[in-house]
Amino acid sequence: MMPGGNLLDQRLAAMDRCTRCSQCKFVPVPKSRAHMSACPSIDFVEYHAGSASGQLIMASGIAHGEIGYTPELLDTISACTMCGACDTACKVNFAEIVEPLEGLYAFRARIVADGQSPKRHREIMERIAETGNAQGRARSERAKWATGLTFSNRAEVLLHVGSVLSYDMSKHQSLRTIVEAVQKAGVPLAYLGQNEGSCGMLAWDLGYHDQARTLANAFVRQVRQSGAKTVVTFSSSAISAFRSIYPRMGIDTGDIRFLHFTEYLLEMTEMGRLSLKKACGHIWQKVAFHDTCKLGRLTEPYQRADYALTKEMGGIYTSRSPEALNFSRNGIYEAPRALLRQMEIEVEELERNREFSYCCGAQGGVKETIPAAAKMAARNRLDELKETESQVMVSACGNCAHHLGKHTRAPAIVVDLIDILAPSIVVGAANVVVHERVE
Amino acid sequence: MSGLPSGIKADVSASTCDAFSTDSDTRSGFSPRAVLYPQTLEDLRKIVRWANDTRTPLVPVSSTGPRRRGDTVPRVKEAVVVDVSGMNRLVHADNRDRIAIIEAGVDFGSIDDLLRPHALRAFRPLMPRSGKSVIASYLDREPIINADVHWDPADPFGGTAIISGGGELTLNGSAALEGTLREQLERGHRHMVTFGPGNVDLTRVVQGSQGSLGIMGWAAVYCERLPQVEQSIFLCSDTLAPVLSAMREAVHRRICTIAFVTDAVQLAMLLGLGLEVAEKLPAWTFCATLAGYVHAPERKVAWQRADLETIAARHGTSVTTGVLEVSANDLAEKLRQSGPVCYRDLCLGAHKELFFLHPISSVGQMIETQQEHLARGVLHGRPVGTYIQPLAQGTFAHVERIMPHAPDADVESGWRALAETSLIAGAFFSRPHGVSRDLAFVRDDGSAARMISAAKTLLDPHNLMNPNRFVVQEAK
Amino acid sequence: MARNNAKHRMVLSPQARTELETILGARYVTDDPALLSGYAWNTGVGKIPGGDKFVPIWPIAVVLPATTEEVAAVIKCCKRHGLSFRPHSTGYGSMGCVTSPDSICIDLRRMNHLEILPEDRMAVIGPYATANQLQAEARKHGLTCHVVGAGPAHSPLASATSLIGVGITSQFTSANMRNMLAWEWVTPEGEIIRGGSAASGMGWYASDGPGPGTRGLLRGFFGGGGGIGVFTRIGIKLFPINHQGKMETLGQVPQLRSPLPPNTALLHAIFPGYDAQRSATFDLLQDDVCTVLLRMPPNHVGWTLTESNAEFVRRTRDGTLPEPARPENGASWTILIASRSAAEHQWRHDTVREIVARHGGRFATMTPEEEGVLYHNLATSQYVPRVLRASGGITTSFGVLDSFHFLPKAVEMGEMMLAKDTAPGGDLCEGNPDEQWIWPHEGRYMWAENIIHFDATNEASRAAGARALIGHFAAQWKDPVGMTGLLVGPIQDVTGPRIGKAPAFARKVKTYFDKDDRSKTKEYVIPNMPPVVEKILPAFRPVFSSAPVLHILSKMVGKNGT
């Protein structure tokens, strides 16, 4: 990895190609005025600086010596959830020539390298260093949810729970139920327990790339020690880190297969080792699905390739590895929907869905740093529910579900997918009823 | 008293001058001291410069025959009327681009004859009298009846030549090119653009100014290609809503060219029938003309007719080709003919008019309000016609109420009361004439007065063009 | 860290700041350099940038008013403190940057009123109701808005009031200077003035009256360009389309496509030459047979039909681009036919096919996916921003309006300006000999706009861009192809007699409403020019357009930008 400063210099030419067209502020084809925004950050900041374009311009200003760091600059970048919607929107027109998200990563790294990281970000990093999670919760409590469960020291499959779910007691019953079902289906699981740490995603988002790499390397070492060839994670941040960020950091994950639990459960159901019975209760007839940024567009695998551009035909900037360009196409969009359908739940699409999903504000350290921005993003996202027939917004990410749930207003509710899956999960093929739904 | 500009034909006779001191609905003007008859754009510029040098008020006139509305009646003493009706040449016409350049004196009585050799005809307002200047009509934003091509109130203007009140020749829109007009035309320019150039659009400013900002010498005007197939039809109803909504849909879809709604009184007047016939006519009629110009014209008209029938059915009405003994095609034919006298005066010898703009979606409510007023007021029982013309392709409508009456009938106050009621109900008097001359500004938040004052200062710094034409610029 | 541009900065006085904060709240006033940077970005879109990524002149402060009254109060505050201002809506390109060091940028982002009046086929919008929002809302009612060249993220209000206003669907959506209905404007002195029916409190539908169409003082062809106060609300006309509801999107980023609604066809006609295309065009314009006609240079079609520059370059080189994107097929029209009924559609379809065949043309073969991509981009005007993808540096030139008689000549002039430098080894990006985007307006006249594509990081390329840009004006002065639309700022003054008295009147308007030149811009006429200079400036046109001067000017612009 390039040191933070150099990374910015490396991205500078691309940043400087920003045409300030503002397309990064909007979903590519808005379906309504109310939900046209792609960017929670510009919605909160309002000055152009809040957009991806604005951040790239500030980064360029720093690099060119046009501006210095100011509290306003740091507040502004702190409102960005690093959700990547700007990148998707920009690429509709500009493909390889700007790639805003790469610029934002580089800018964050530069800020850290310059010793300018916002205080709250530093605090988050201190907590991660101390406790292995951004919340600063005790390591000793990390595996409490698994009390009574048995895991192998070494197994083909390593269970990764993630920092949010590990400490969210309200989800522990569902988590246990699902894990138990997998085990009952005959899959020995390894689990790092208290030794599970941060995957490094947040550290990366905050610009602490060295620390992120340290965390990543530590985790990959743990995986190797477990003998696992497959890592199944309940964390959308983690799956994003594994597939998209670790390769950026040059971390060799070899033949380890990283799966989100939704993908894994889907595989299990398709193999007939698990099945999902119909979810009971009328509220489950139709739900709206919130695509988590990390799980969706930001899980698109990052390929190792030569990402430099070559000037062709007198000034046309062309990717040397066009097949490796990230267009948000290959995120995890289908697996959670398929699981919901298996439970005979109709999935209603929000206006901004899949790669065009609007970030709920839970990621990127915004929740911890600028709570008002995170709240606004959640409210904006929840407003989208009004356009649907559903009162239920489902997320496959514990972080999103928790954050959205905190800001929802009755009668709407936000449900974590695991809380729907747990009562419906059945060991074996579909016609075998093992237990009744727990209300 | 200053002399008159040399080399320009002038008439200072009392009979000629006195004729301009009034018109058919304006009694309070002044006699001009002369009437000038320029023949060329250069004459016009000379006159305006002379007026600036001598501080002589000018009142431009381009139509001939009976005048009304007061905009050609001097409101100050010692004015000179500039009668451009002699500038009546067709300068150029081009069938391929469907455009012609005409001088200000070309009138509706002659323009189609001038254009016919070029297989073109003019866009017309509703049955203009023959002496009405085409350019004067367009300048006054009189609505043309071809709703499909009325994109914007500047239509059907292309590029224009205007002498500003300050005496400057301004070439506007795409007329603003180097070289003489002849040279421009020879290069292939057709002056098809009205807006601009640069940061201003003086054609638009002068439109609606009633001669108070400058004089247009010539203009490129969009024309209609002579259709190969033309079919007119009526959609009739006892109530306004069905025909209005059918018209709105048809106009929004641009599936007819001529499109307007009339009530029975208005239709009787248009058809030249006695008012007593109105009772036998449908209460409301949407008059539409379908035209096939070049490409498979029969097929075009056929699908338009079929689609119009579908629209009619959807709105609870139906298509018919005639009412009583009169066919819609007959009406269309009449609409292209111009008599010397305004059709509205033919029934009873005189008429009152009230016209304004209104959103097309709420015209029905406006008419309802007016009808309620008429039913309980002093005009109760009198025939009042209604003409609804969609503008800007059906964004809003020109609503016109016409009351034919005997010349000696005392209807002034009753008519004003109708206008006041309309104003309260939201009538926007964009063209302040007659009864709306003062009412147009009653609800102005000050903006219109401010902008008219600006336009006057910028284009006519010495206030010589038709002074006091607008109440907001009258000397206090 | 030191600021490179500190020498250009003026400082907001504490008193002015206090007043602005009182008007708007402290959150909506900033003079923080980092937040200002986004308003000093030198993108070069629509201009030739210099080598620096930031313009030399930054705003003193940026303010975010939410209401017309706040805009007026800000302007009055500027006046009290001897400051200038520049309105800014979406801020695409560098044209929204302030041009004097004493200027405040008024970012109108919070003024995003949007109300659709479907039965009146119109909307009422504020400056930050962007075209994509307006279009999305309009589509719910079977309507669309006109989207100008800047693409879906632009402000239709800004386009209607302040800058050009033409767009690729002008055949059926006209142009925004004509789509603008009633209006609200804050003068450079801070007065609030409304025009048309809005002045009488009767809604936003009628643009003119009572009496004169005084809007023409403020909005000609080019638009106010930020030089004549701030427009804060307008009514705008919308256009019925043959599909009601949300725009369906298929495919994946970036090749989004949309299915054609029933009774819709997208055809790409290729003609043997430009004379044939002209003759066909005169026929295609009769009877309103086509909904949209658009001629893009083939390489620009190629950018649309490829997902990345890499794909474009590869397929250009190996000759696998689809027919519409091949260089030999420049004489072409992309034709959209959008009908409501089957009979209508059949008539349109047959007629178009017959006309094209009669003039020796043929239709390109496209896959349904390619057709869907072209349709999607046409309907949303995403085409245009994508044109920037190649190098990130374009400017536009020519911008002529006149009869289609001039179509071959427009292409010829486009080639004259570009062919040498767009050929391999030239100083501009490789491309078509001409890069004219051409389309009709309202079934009548032609707009032709020659895109200049340069490498913004290369001084020689920027100079070539400048040479072509200025060269267009020089060529137009010598042998006009029509009315020049892109008369940016002083170009108007130099063009002089060609545009009659317009610059002089614009200057009068400016002086009348803004005698102190508070509404500062380079996009308007030069304010306060002495009459003698006004008179003699156009005489220097031969000098400006002479080869040596053009060369020097181009070099200067290439180095320092415009």
Side-chain angles (χ1 to χ4, degrees):
Chain A
M1 188 191 87
M2 306 284 290
N6 289 348
L7 189 58
L8 183 67
D9 292 341
Q10 196 184 47
R11 292 300 313 169
L12 188 57
M15 292 173 170
D16 285 352
R17 282 192 288 271
C18 170
T19 64
R20 205 195 182 284
C21 71
S22 286
Q23 195 65 60
C24 58
K25 298 170 184 168
F26 302 100
V27 291
V29 190
K31 302 287 192 282
S32 73
R33 181 264 176 81
H35 310 305
M36 51 73 188
S37 174
C39 176
S41 172
I42 185 68
D43 291 344
F44 180 76
V45 173
E46 305 221 54
Y47 294 102
H48 186 71
S51 66
S53 165
Q55 292 191 64
L56 298 186
I57 291 169
M58 289 194 294
S60 177
I62 294 284
H64 288 297
E66 290 279 351
I67 59 168
Y69 290 103
T70 64
E72 286 86 348
L73 182 151
L74 299 175
D75 278 352
T76 300
I77 62 110
S78 299
C80 172
T81 60
M82 307 296 282
C83 74
C86 51
D87 200 67
T88 309
C90 176
K91 282 173 172 166
V92 166
N93 290 321
F94 292 100
E96 68 261 59
I97 78 161
V98 181
E99 296 205 274
L101 186 59
E102 302 300 329
L104 299 187
Y105 287 148
F107 188 23
R108 292 281 179 109
R110 171 67 176 259
I111 291 168
V112 171
D114 286 344
Q116 299 289 338
S117 182
K119 178 169 171 279
R120 299 271 184 212
H121 287 188
R122 293 200 304 272
E123 289 169 358
I124 291 170
M125 290 309 299
E126 284 164 13
R127 290 197 291 271
I128 290 174
E130 198 176 317
T131 64
N133 67 85
Q135 305 153 72
R137 303 289 293 273
R139 272 197 181 276
S140 57
E141 292 177 15
R142 184 156 190 133
K144 259 191 169 174
W145 69 273
T147 306
L149 294 182
T150 307
F151 294 97
S152 312
N153 286 334
R154 290 178 66 79
E156 281 290 308
V157 178
L158 174 72
L159 174 70
H160 179 266
V161 177
S163 300
V164 174
L165 192 54
S166 294
Y167 295 103
D168 186 348
M169 289 179 62
S170 68
K171 304 286 164 57
H172 285 175
Q173 182 56 48
S174 295
L175 176 61
R176 281 178 68 99
T177 305
I178 293 169
V179 171
E180 281 175 326
V182 171
Q183 290 177 321
K184 282 178 189 166
V187 181
L189 293 173
Y191 172 53
L192 299 173
Q194 291 181 17
N195 293 326
E196 183 185 283
S198 167
C199 63
M201 183 70 244
L202 185 54
W204 173 268
D205 273 350
L206 300 184
Y208 290 84
H209 290 191
D210 289 340
Q211 290 85 336
R213 181 197 274 147
T214 302
L215 292 165
N217 278 325
F219 177 68
V220 172
R221 251 193 323 273
Q222 288 173 312
V223 177
R224 297 212 184 285
Q225 283 164 3
S226 74
K229 298 289 181 220
T230 299
V231 174
V232 176
T233 181
F234 278 80
S235 161
S236 54
S237 281
I239 192 66
S240 175
F242 300 155
R243 288 193 188 166
S244 173
I245 303 302
Y246 285 14
R248 277 170 216 268
M249 296 193 288
I251 291 170
D252 182 11
T253 55
D255 55 354
I256 303 169
R257 189 170 174 239
F258 294 101
L259 292 178
H260 189 246
F261 80 97
T262 55
E263 295 174 299
Y264 188 66
L265 293 186
L266 187 61
E267 272 188 19
M268 295 285 279
T269 59
E270 285 169 354
M271 288 187 291
R273 297 176 71 180
L274 289 174
S275 57
L276 295 169
K277 63 179 181 174
K278 182 180 177 182
C280 298
H282 73 277
I283 66 161
W284 304 120
Q285 285 173 2
K286 186 183 275 190
V287 302
F289 186 72
H290 165 71
D291 284 283
T292 297
C293 322
K294 296 291 186 198
L295 184 61
R297 56 182 167 253
L298 294 175
T299 290
E300 180 169 46
Y302 183 89
Q303 299 176 42
R304 289 200 185 173
D306 179 358
Y307 279 91
L309 305 186
T310 305
K311 228 190 274 190
E312 304 276 2
M313 294 175 66
I316 300 178
Y317 290 88
T318 60
S319 169
R320 292 180 190 168
S321 308
E323 67 288 346
L325 289 171
N326 283 88
F327 285 113
S328 321
R329 297 167 180 166
N330 300 312
I332 299 173
Y333 303 117
E334 195 47 37
R337 288 173 169 80
L339 294 176
L340 287 164
R341 283 196 298 269
Q342 285 190 13
M343 293 182 284
E344 298 184 36
I345 297 171
E346 186 182 336
V347 180
E348 202 174 1
E349 296 296 351
L350 294 165
E351 266 189 32
R352 294 169 288 192
N353 62 60
R354 293 185 165 81
E355 67 267 45
F356 307 125
S357 182
Y358 183 80
C359 177
C360 70
Q363 305 282 1
V366 177
K367 218 171 37 171
E368 296 83 353
T369 313
I370 316 269
K375 180 179 175 180
M376 177 190 260
R379 286 275 162 83
N380 288 347
R381 183 54 162 167
L382 288 160
D383 275 350
E384 220 166 315
L385 200 56
K386 291 177 190 161
E387 315 295 330
T388 71
E389 291 174 17
S390 175
Q391 288 186 354
V392 183
M393 186 180 282
V394 174
S395 172
C397 167
N399 203 8
C400 292
H402 181 266
H403 181 62
L404 285 164
K406 195 171 141 189
H407 297 293
T408 194
R409 293 179 174 127
I413 57 167
V414 178
V415 179
D416 191 329
L417 180 62
I418 65 168
D419 288 334
I420 313 176
L421 286 168
S424 292
I425 200 161
V426 175
V427 178
N431 55 355
V432 180
V433 177
V434 175
H435 55 76
E436 293 302 315
R437 176 185 171 81
V438 179
E439 291 292 347
Chain B
M1 178 170 139
S2 310
L4 294 170
S6 61
I8 311 283
K9 184 184 163 193
D11 188 342
V12 294
S13 68
S15 60
T16 301
C17 291
D18 288 350
F20 282 97
S21 66
T22 61
D23 66 19
S24 61
D25 61 354
T26 311
R27 304 274 175 259
S28 56
F30 296 91
S31 266
R33 67 179 174 89
V35 179
L36 298 176
Y37 298 96
Q39 296 298 308
T40 65
L41 192 63
E42 188 47 41
D43 284 354
L44 269 184
R45 176 148 67 168
K46 195 171 172 182
I47 289 168
V48 179
R49 285 190 171 169
W50 163 82
N52 274 269
D53 290 344
T54 58
R55 298 292 191 266
T56 304
L58 299 177
V59 176
V61 179
S62 42
S63 303
T64 57
R67 292 172 298 108
R68 61 180 294 126
R69 298 178 183 166
D71 50 352
T72 54
V73 176
R75 299 185 68 86
V76 292
K77 291 178 183 169
E78 295 298 308
V80 166
V81 164
V82 184
D83 183 341
V84 299
S85 61
M87 292 173 64
N88 56 4
R89 291 178 308 143
L90 170 70
V91 178
H92 186 262
D94 181 350
N95 174 270
R96 195 173 60 163
D97 280 311
R98 291 163 288 149
I99 196 158
I101 295 178
I102 56 172
E103 290 185 331
V106 171
D107 59 27
F108 283 108
S110 60
I111 188 162
D112 281 357
D113 292 338
L114 293 169
L115 292 174
R116 193 168 298 110
H118 306 277
L120 295 171
R121 63 189 188 187
F123 292 115
R124 306 166 83 88
L126 189 69
M127 214 176 264
R129 62 187 175 79
S130 57
K132 180 73 185 178
S133 152
V134 175
I135 281 182
S137 170
Y138 295 169
L139 266 178
D140 197 31
R141 296 194 297 262
E142 274 194 314
I144 57 170
I145 56 178
N146 300 72
D148 63 332
V149 292
H150 190 271
W151 296 75
D152 172 85
D155 283 323
F157 275 128
T160 66
I162 295 170
I163 310 292
S164 74
E168 293 172 286
L169 168 62
T170 69
L171 296 174
N172 308 291
S174 57
L177 288 168
E178 260 169 326
T180 63
L181 180 57
R182 183 55 52 199
E183 288 164 347
Q184 293 167 1
L185 291 168
E186 280 170 8
R187 284 201 301 261
H189 302 296
R190 290 294 176 265
H191 302 344
M192 302 175 78
V193 181
T194 185
F195 44 86
N199 295 113
V200 294
D201 180 352
L202 296 184
T203 301
R204 193 168 199 109
V205 180
V206 170
Q207 269 192 299
S209 69
Q210 301 181 18
S212 69
L213 295 175
I215 308 177
M216 188 174 280
W218 54 257
V221 295
Y222 300 152
C223 300
E224 185 185 17
R225 193 184 272 256
L226 290 180
Q228 292 187 52
V229 176
E230 195 168 19
Q231 188 183 109
S232 295
I233 45 110
F234 293 141
L235 275 72
C236 305
S237 174
D238 292 339
T239 55
L240 175 58
V243 292
L244 200 52
S245 52
M247 176 176 73
R248 192 173 62 225
E249 185 177 344
V251 170
H252 285 192
R253 283 186 51 184
R254 301 185 71 201
I255 58 170
C256 46
T257 179
I258 293 172
F260 59 86
V261 162
T262 70
D263 67 1
V265 171
Q266 183 74 22
L267 188 58
M269 286 193 285
L270 290 173
L271 292 170
L273 304 172
L275 288 174
E276 65 284 359
V277 180
E279 288 177 14
K280 298 174 192 164
L281 291 169
W284 295 97
T285 302
F286 162 27
C287 307
T289 297
L290 316 173
Y293 298 101
V294 177
H295 304 305
E298 294 84 3
R299 278 182 67 193
K300 180 186 175 188
V301 168
W303 73 253
Q304 291 197 333
R305 167 74 185 259
D307 282 9
L308 210 45
E309 283 173 358
T310 307
I311 290 171
R314 183 157 49 241
H315 295 285
T317 176
S318 60
V319 169
T320 177
T321 54
V323 290
L324 300 182
E325 299 300 311
V326 186
S327 76
N329 287 335
D330 292 341
L331 174 64
E333 187 56 35
K334 282 179 184 294
L335 293 177
R336 297 220 67 84
Q337 293 163 0
S338 289
V341 178
C342 177
Y343 76 95
R344 303 153 179 166
D345 287 333
L346 292 176
C347 313
L348 301 174
H351 73 273
K352 288 283 172 211
E353 61 181 358
L354 176 69
F355 47 80
F356 53 87
L357 303 181
H358 205 65
I360 201 160
S361 59
S362 51
V363 164
Q365 290 147 261
M366 169 59 79
I367 300 294
E368 213 169 285
T369 303
Q370 290 181 324
Q371 292 303 99
E372 282 170 16
H373 171 91
L374 289 168
R376 63 171 190 267
V378 295
L379 301 179
H380 176 67
R382 287 185 175 273
V384 178
T386 309
Y387 160 50
I388 301 164
Q389 179 63 56
L391 294 178
Q393 297 176 316
T395 302
F396 52 95
H398 161 94
V399 180
E400 185 167 319
R401 304 305 303 268
I402 302 293
M403 183 174 70
H405 61 84
D408 57 352
D410 179 14
V411 289
E412 291 287 341
S413 60
W415 197 246
R416 184 169 177 87
L418 176 67
E420 287 169 347
T421 297
S422 305
L423 177 68
I424 292 164
F428 176 53
F429 297 114
S430 69
R431 298 160 55 210
H433 286 293
V435 70
S436 71
R437 182 170 174 267
D438 60 332
L439 292 179
F441 297 94
V442 166
R443 286 178 62 168
D444 177 32
D445 64 5
S447 299
R450 175 84 172 85
M451 290 303 289
I452 289 173
S453 168
K456 199 69 180 158
T457 304
L458 295 168
L459 271 78
D460 181 25
H462 300 305
N463 189 24
L464 300 175
M465 299 302 302
N466 211 354
N468 295 349
R469 182 58 215 144
F470 298 110
V471 291
V472 291
Q473 61 173 117
E474 277 183 25
K476 296 290 186 279
Chain C
M1 195 175 291
R3 288 276 309 278
N4 282 346
N5 74 337
K7 63 182 182 294
H8 299 293
R9 294 283 324 275
M10 280 176 62
V11 177
L12 190 64
S13 72
Q15 181 59 29
R17 176 201 296 277
T18 304
E19 288 180 30
L20 288 169
E21 288 182 350
T22 305
I23 295 163
L24 303 171
R27 186 187 184 317
Y28 298 115
V29 179
T30 187
D31 61 352
D32 177 77
L35 298 195
L36 299 187
S37 64
Y39 303 87
W41 189 236
N42 189 8
T43 75
V45 176
K47 289 193 162 194
I48 306 289
D52 295 332
K53 276 317 299 177
F54 289 86
V55 293
I57 300 170
W58 289 39
I60 294 180
V62 177
V63 297
L64 289 164
T67 65
T68 303
E69 288 70 25
E70 286 183 359
V71 171
V74 166
I75 289 175
K76 285 176 181 166
C77 177
C78 288
K79 187 178 174 186
R80 281 196 297 278
H81 293 277
L83 300 173
S84 302
F85 64 88
R86 179 81 198 253
H88 172 111
S89 48
T90 53
Y92 196 174
S94 324
M95 288 174 113
C97 292
V98 301
T99 57
S100 70
D102 66 343
S103 285
I104 279 180
C105 171
I106 304 177
D107 182 342
L108 301 162
R109 177 183 161 83
R110 295 170 69 213
M111 299 178 66
N112 57 357
H113 181 86
L114 197 169
E115 179 188 0
I116 307 282
L117 304 169
E119 293 197 347
D120 298 323
R121 56 170 300 181
M122 62 170 283
V124 185
I125 56 172
Y128 210 85
T130 50
N132 50 7
Q133 300 175 54
L134 180 56
Q135 188 174 50
E137 291 302 317
R139 288 187 67 93
K140 293 175 183 173
H141 306 280
L143 299 164
T144 191
C145 60
H146 176 67
V147 186
V148 304
H154 85 275
S155 158
L157 178 143
S159 151
T161 60
S162 303
L163 198 75
I164 315 284
V166 299
I168 57 176
T169 58
S170 283
Q171 165 72 355
F172 91 104
T173 59
S174 191
N176 275 342
M177 75 289 281
R178 276 164 74 76
N179 295 333
M180 179 178 168
L181 302 168
W183 42 278
E184 180 182 75
W185 171 57
V186 182
T187 73
E189 298 276 321
E191 277 178 278
I192 298 171
I193 287 182
R194 296 179 186 87
S197 49
S200 297
M202 291 177 179
W204 296 86
Y205 59 92
S207 52
D208 301 296
T214 53
R215 194 192 89 182
L217 294 174
L218 311 172
R219 203 332 175 181
F221 187 166
F222 188 82
I228 191 76
V230 184
F231 289 89
T232 47
R233 188 167 290 198
I234 59 168
I236 193 160
K237 198 174 153 194
L238 300 174
F239 295 86
I241 52 176
N242 67 342
H243 179 252
Q244 183 171 350
K246 294 171 183 172
M247 183 138 197
E248 196 181 337
T249 309
L250 306 172
Q252 291 183 309
V253 173
Q255 294 308 80
L256 301 176
R257 60 184 200 275
S258 295
L260 271 60
N263 298 318
T264 304
L266 187 123
L267 306 166
H268 191 88
I270 297 169
F271 298 93
Y274 292 101
D275 285 336
Q277 184 177 4
R278 169 173 61 184
S279 325
T281 305
F282 279 111
D283 278 345
L284 288 166
L285 293 180
Q286 306 304 323
D287 277 304
D288 191 32
V289 72
C290 302
T291 308
V292 177
L293 286 162
L294 171 65
R295 186 269 181 172
M296 281 193 288
N299 52 329
H300 296 202
V301 180
W303 287 329
T304 304
L305 292 177
T306 52
E307 68 174 35
S308 65
N309 285 343
E311 186 192 349
F312 170 76
V313 169
R314 175 179 60 75
R315 294 181 66 185
T316 299
R317 286 181 174 151
D318 65 19
T320 59
L321 285 169
E323 274 192 296
R326 290 189 201 149
E328 65 272 22
N329 295 331
S332 68
W333 282 124
T334 299
I335 300 171
L336 179 73
I337 301 168
S339 315
R340 265 75 167 197
S341 66
E344 174 187 0
H345 190 57
Q346 198 60 53
W347 170 80
R348 289 183 189 279
H349 205 255
D350 292 350
T351 302
V352 167
R353 287 193 167 275
E354 186 276 323
I355 293 169
V356 170
R358 181 151 43 85
H359 292 280
R362 64 188 175 82
F363 292 98
T365 309
M366 285 189 284
T367 65
E369 287 73 23
E370 289 162 350
E371 183 185 86
V373 168
L374 289 184
Y375 174 68
H376 177 82
N377 282 281
L378 192 64
T380 60
S381 284
Q382 285 281 11
Y383 269 141
V384 188
R386 192 174 270 208
V387 169
L388 277 154
R389 192 184 73 190
S391 68
I394 71 163
T395 190
T396 186
S397 60
F398 209 52
V400 289
L401 284 164
D402 211 314
S403 165
F404 271 96
H405 170 76
F406 287 100
L407 187 149
K409 192 170 173 182
V411 173
E412 184 188 324
M413 196 177 276
E415 288 182 1
M416 198 167 84
M417 293 299 125
L418 295 183
K420 181 171 160 284
D421 280 325
T422 57
D427 283 334
L428 297 172
C429 296
E430 279 180 41
N432 220 45
D434 79 286
E435 304 251 324
Q436 292 280 18
W437 285 59
I438 302 173
W439 61 76
H441 278 229
E442 302 174 3
R444 291 188 176 274
Y445 46 86
M446 174 185 80
W447 168 263
E449 174 177 6
N450 210 22
I451 303 296
I452 302 168
H453 230 118
F454 55 87
D455 176 2
T457 65
N458 178 312
E459 192 174 322
S461 191
R462 294 197 303 265
R467 192 163 59 240
L469 179 65
I470 306 167
H472 277 91
F473 291 115
Q476 271 280 87
W477 291 336
K478 204 185 279 180
D479 187 10
V481 181
M483 174 193 197
T484 307
L486 305 172
L487 289 169
V488 189
I491 296 285
Q492 269 193 78
D493 291 302
V494 180
T495 300
R498 272 207 60 213
I499 50 174
K501 296 286 180 185
F505 270 101
R507 204 167 354 268
K508 286 182 191 176
V509 171
K510 173 80 175 174
T511 305
Y512 181 89
F513 286 110
D514 189 15
K515 64 181 188 315
D516 299 328
D517 190 22
R518 296 265 168 247
S519 190
K520 205 94 88 193
T521 179
K522 285 183 179 170
E523 270 65 62
Y524 208 68
V525 288
I526 300 168
N528 305 318
M529 186 193 283
V532 61
V533 180
E534 188 175 85
K535 202 164 183 179
I536 63 168
L537 197 56
F540 286 95
R541 285 185 311 177
V543 178
F544 293 131
S545 52
S546 69
V549 173
L550 203 58
H551 179 73
I552 294 166
L553 272 177
S554 306
K555 295 277 270 188
M556 282 167 56
V557 172
K559 190 172 179 61
N560 303 315
T562 53

